[in-house]
Amino acid sequence: MPETDVVDLTRRLIRCPSVTPEEGGALTLLSGILTEGGFTCHRADRGGIANLYARWGKRGHAKTFGFNGHTDVVPTGDPALWASDPFAAEIREGKLWGRGAADMKSAVAAFTAAAIDFARTRPDGAIVLAITGDEEGDGVDGTAAILDWMTENKEALSVCLVGEPTCPEHLGDTIKIGRRGSMTTHITATGAQGHVAYPHRARNPVHAMATLMARLSAATLDKGTAHFDASSLQITSIDTGNPASNVIPAQTRATFNIRFNDSHTSESLIGWIKHQASLVQADTGVTFDIDTRVSGESFVTEPGPLSTLVSNAVAKETGVTPKLSTTGGTSDARFIKDHCPVVEFGLVGKTMHQVDEHVAVADIIALKRIYTTILRDYFA
């Protein structure tokens, strides 16, 4: 049989308008192709989100290689700003253009094509593809739902590779072996409204909030660890909405995000925030209501057999030895790390989420070769 055409499959996926949370036909397309390729496919939908689990080989095999990715994409913005229809998947100048080209329909096509073609060699083990339609959204009913479905149905992975676009400059330069944790905190400061000419009759929440934000932003959370840069707290908003210059308002609100390394947990950071707020409250009499939402904890897959497997395959196919990194935002690897060892490797992500998103056609073809080499070496 002829090899699966990875460029054609990528173009077909891009033409599916799968803006979160719409499935857009992408998982239906993949399910059909994988079924024809001998994979057993199951839908693990939850909460209105479409998810696909596909396995070649015996369930529960001790040597089960997993790929994870997503077919949902972010909105295109104004289509008029694009040089071509964002869902047309045009090829120009040796590049494939369209929403999801970089993040991450090309990688999904690459590991799908690699898995189908490699499965024809009938390796001693199993290959699993766990593909969600909810990575760009909250993620609650995406890969997390697939993992829950796997537990219920006694399915398991030995190792997993997530196909996120990990390379900042050129294909092969970076493998992600972990991610920083991420948490967003919303604080409401409540004082007592009053006239600015009589501040002793009021409690100014803006002053108290400014003091608290100064304390938090000036703090050195850490100086980095073996695999991570220093943690970072960034204030993104301070809002009062007070139109009167002669009125001390009753409330003000602030929002900040912390990207943290493995020196911390979200729990330890929440405790620190609350402690700092209690100190300012004791000084000012202004109260603070604190609401924190955690996107994911910091984690690292220590360099070892999995990262070496992927690194060697990348070097074989590109001539580049990738660096091991934990930079960037969150990914669905934060769910998988509790199930099995996980690393990430994919295309160059320079244009992801941008107008005129695109990737080099040659890189898509090379990525399929890399994924094929990983499978061949894993099952050797």
Side-chain angles (χ1 to χ4, degrees), residues 107-133:
V108 170
F111 66 59
T112 298
I116 290 172
D117 292 350
F118 184 75
R120 295 185 187 129
T121 69
R122 306 197 67 79
D124 182 16
I127 305 170
V128 164
L129 277 61
I131 308 171
T132 180

Short mmCIF file of all heavy atoms in Angstrom, two decimals, residues 107-133:
data_model
loop_
_atom_site.label_atom_id
_atom_site.label_comp_id
_atom_site.label_asym_id
_atom_site.label_seq_id
_atom_site.Cartn_x
_atom_site.Cartn_y
_atom_site.Cartn_z
N ALA A 107 0.98 18.48 12.98
CA ALA A 107 1.55 17.44 13.85
C ALA A 107 0.57 16.28 14.01
O ALA A 107 0.98 15.12 14.02
CB ALA A 107 1.91 18.02 15.21
N VAL A 108 -0.72 16.59 14.14
CA VAL A 108 -1.71 15.52 14.24
C VAL A 108 -1.69 14.67 12.97
O VAL A 108 -1.72 13.43 13.03
CB VAL A 108 -3.12 16.10 14.49
CG1 VAL A 108 -4.18 15.01 14.35
CG2 VAL A 108 -3.19 16.74 15.86
N ALA A 109 -1.62 15.33 11.82
CA ALA A 109 -1.54 14.60 10.56
C ALA A 109 -0.25 13.78 10.50
O ALA A 109 -0.25 12.63 10.03
CB ALA A 109 -1.61 15.57 9.38
N ALA A 110 0.85 14.35 10.99
CA ALA A 110 2.14 13.67 10.93
C ALA A 110 2.16 12.41 11.80
O ALA A 110 2.62 11.35 11.36
CB ALA A 110 3.26 14.62 11.35
N PHE A 111 1.65 12.52 13.04
CA PHE A 111 1.69 11.30 13.86
C PHE A 111 0.61 10.31 13.46
O PHE A 111 0.78 9.10 13.62
CB PHE A 111 1.74 11.58 15.37
CG PHE A 111 0.56 12.23 16.04
CD1 PHE A 111 -0.70 11.65 16.03
CD2 PHE A 111 0.73 13.40 16.78
CE1 PHE A 111 -1.77 12.22 16.71
CE2 PHE A 111 -0.33 13.99 17.46
CZ PHE A 111 -1.59 13.39 17.42
N THR A 112 -0.50 10.79 12.88
CA THR A 112 -1.51 9.87 12.35
C THR A 112 -0.95 9.08 11.17
O THR A 112 -1.07 7.85 11.10
CB THR A 112 -2.76 10.63 11.94
OG1 THR A 112 -3.33 11.28 13.07
CG2 THR A 112 -3.80 9.70 11.33
N ALA A 113 -0.33 9.79 10.24
CA ALA A 113 0.23 9.14 9.05
C ALA A 113 1.36 8.19 9.45
O ALA A 113 1.46 7.07 8.92
CB ALA A 113 0.74 10.20 8.08
N ALA A 114 2.22 8.63 10.37
CA ALA A 114 3.32 7.78 10.82
C ALA A 114 2.80 6.52 11.49
O ALA A 114 3.31 5.42 11.26
CB ALA A 114 4.24 8.56 11.77
N ALA A 115 1.78 6.68 12.34
CA ALA A 115 1.23 5.53 13.08
C ALA A 115 0.58 4.53 12.13
O ALA A 115 0.78 3.31 12.27
CB ALA A 115 0.22 6.02 14.11
N ILE A 116 -0.19 5.02 11.17
CA ILE A 116 -0.87 4.12 10.22
C ILE A 116 0.15 3.35 9.40
O ILE A 116 0.06 2.12 9.25
CB ILE A 116 -1.82 4.91 9.31
CG1 ILE A 116 -3.02 5.42 10.12
CG2 ILE A 116 -2.29 4.06 8.14
CD1 ILE A 116 -3.91 6.38 9.34
N ASP A 117 1.14 4.06 8.87
CA ASP A 117 2.12 3.40 8.02
C ASP A 117 3.00 2.44 8.82
O ASP A 117 3.31 1.33 8.36
CB ASP A 117 2.99 4.45 7.31
CG ASP A 117 2.20 5.26 6.30
OD1 ASP A 117 1.05 4.90 6.01
OD2 ASP A 117 2.74 6.27 5.80
N PHE A 118 3.41 2.84 10.03
CA PHE A 118 4.27 1.98 10.83
C PHE A 118 3.53 0.74 11.32
O PHE A 118 4.12 -0.33 11.45
CB PHE A 118 4.85 2.74 12.01
CG PHE A 118 5.82 1.94 12.81
CD1 PHE A 118 7.11 1.69 12.34
CD2 PHE A 118 5.45 1.37 14.04
CE1 PHE A 118 8.00 0.93 13.08
CE2 PHE A 118 6.34 0.61 14.76
CZ PHE A 118 7.62 0.38 14.28
N ALA A 119 2.24 0.88 11.61
CA ALA A 119 1.47 -0.26 12.10
C ALA A 119 1.44 -1.40 11.10
O ALA A 119 1.26 -2.57 11.48
CB ALA A 119 0.05 0.18 12.44
N ARG A 120 1.66 -1.10 9.82
CA ARG A 120 1.68 -2.16 8.80
C ARG A 120 2.86 -3.10 8.99
O ARG A 120 2.84 -4.23 8.48
CB ARG A 120 1.73 -1.54 7.40
CG ARG A 120 0.50 -0.72 7.03
CD ARG A 120 0.57 -0.25 5.59
NE ARG A 120 -0.53 0.66 5.29
CZ ARG A 120 -0.39 1.85 4.73
NH1 ARG A 120 0.81 2.29 4.39
NH2 ARG A 120 -1.44 2.61 4.49
N THR A 121 3.87 -2.67 9.74
CA THR A 121 5.01 -3.54 10.03
C THR A 121 4.70 -4.49 11.18
O THR A 121 5.53 -5.34 11.51
CB THR A 121 6.26 -2.72 10.38
OG1 THR A 121 6.07 -2.07 11.64
CG2 THR A 121 6.55 -1.68 9.29
N ARG A 122 3.53 -4.31 11.77
CA ARG A 122 3.04 -5.15 12.86
C ARG A 122 4.06 -5.26 14.00
O ARG A 122 4.57 -6.35 14.33
CB ARG A 122 2.64 -6.54 12.35
CG ARG A 122 1.66 -6.51 11.20
CD ARG A 122 0.96 -7.81 10.98
NE ARG A 122 0.07 -8.16 12.07
CZ ARG A 122 -1.16 -7.63 12.24
NH1 ARG A 122 -1.62 -6.71 11.41
NH2 ARG A 122 -1.90 -8.03 13.25
N PRO A 123 4.33 -4.14 14.66
CA PRO A 123 5.28 -4.15 15.77
C PRO A 123 4.73 -4.92 16.96
O PRO A 123 3.52 -5.10 17.11
CB PRO A 123 5.42 -2.66 16.11
CG PRO A 123 4.13 -2.05 15.68
CD PRO A 123 3.74 -2.79 14.44
N ASP A 124 5.64 -5.37 17.81
CA ASP A 124 5.24 -6.10 19.02
C ASP A 124 4.89 -5.08 20.10
O ASP A 124 5.74 -4.67 20.89
CB ASP A 124 6.38 -7.00 19.49
CG ASP A 124 5.99 -7.81 20.72
OD1 ASP A 124 4.78 -7.90 21.01
OD2 ASP A 124 6.90 -8.33 21.40
N GLY A 125 3.65 -4.67 20.12
CA GLY A 125 3.20 -3.67 21.07
C GLY A 125 1.93 -3.00 20.59
O GLY A 125 1.19 -3.58 19.78
N ALA A 126 1.68 -1.81 21.09
CA ALA A 126 0.46 -1.09 20.71
C ALA A 126 0.80 0.38 20.48
O ALA A 126 1.74 0.92 21.06
CB ALA A 126 -0.60 -1.22 21.80
N ILE A 127 0.02 0.99 19.61
CA ILE A 127 0.15 2.42 19.32
C ILE A 127 -1.19 3.07 19.60
O ILE A 127 -2.23 2.59 19.14
CB ILE A 127 0.54 2.66 17.85
CG1 ILE A 127 1.82 1.90 17.49
CG2 ILE A 127 0.72 4.16 17.58
CD1 ILE A 127 2.13 1.91 16.00
N VAL A 128 -1.17 4.17 20.33
CA VAL A 128 -2.39 4.86 20.71
C VAL A 128 -2.32 6.31 20.27
O VAL A 128 -1.28 6.97 20.42
CB VAL A 128 -2.63 4.78 22.24
CG1 VAL A 128 -3.67 5.80 22.70
CG2 VAL A 128 -3.07 3.38 22.63
N LEU A 129 -3.43 6.81 19.75
CA LEU A 129 -3.58 8.23 19.44
C LEU A 129 -4.72 8.77 20.29
O LEU A 129 -5.85 8.27 20.22
CB LEU A 129 -3.90 8.45 17.96
CG LEU A 129 -2.72 8.46 16.97
CD1 LEU A 129 -1.98 7.13 16.99
CD2 LEU A 129 -3.20 8.79 15.56
N ALA A 130 -4.42 9.77 21.12
CA ALA A 130 -5.42 10.42 21.97
C ALA A 130 -5.54 11.87 21.50
O ALA A 130 -4.65 12.68 21.74
CB ALA A 130 -5.01 10.36 23.43
N ILE A 131 -6.64 12.18 20.81
CA ILE A 131 -6.77 13.47 20.14
C ILE A 131 -8.03 14.17 20.65
O ILE A 131 -9.12 13.60 20.63
CB ILE A 131 -6.86 13.28 18.61
CG1 ILE A 131 -5.68 12.43 18.11
CG2 ILE A 131 -6.85 14.64 17.92
CD1 ILE A 131 -5.79 12.02 16.66
N THR A 132 -7.86 15.39 21.10
CA THR A 132 -8.97 16.13 21.69
C THR A 132 -9.42 17.31 20.84
O THR A 132 -8.67 17.79 19.99
CB THR A 132 -8.57 16.65 23.09
OG1 THR A 132 -9.68 17.38 23.64
CG2 THR A 132 -7.38 17.59 23.01
N GLY A 133 -10.63 17.76 21.11
CA GLY A 133 -11.16 18.96 20.48
C GLY A 133 -11.25 20.11 21.46
O GLY A 133 -11.97 21.08 21.21
#
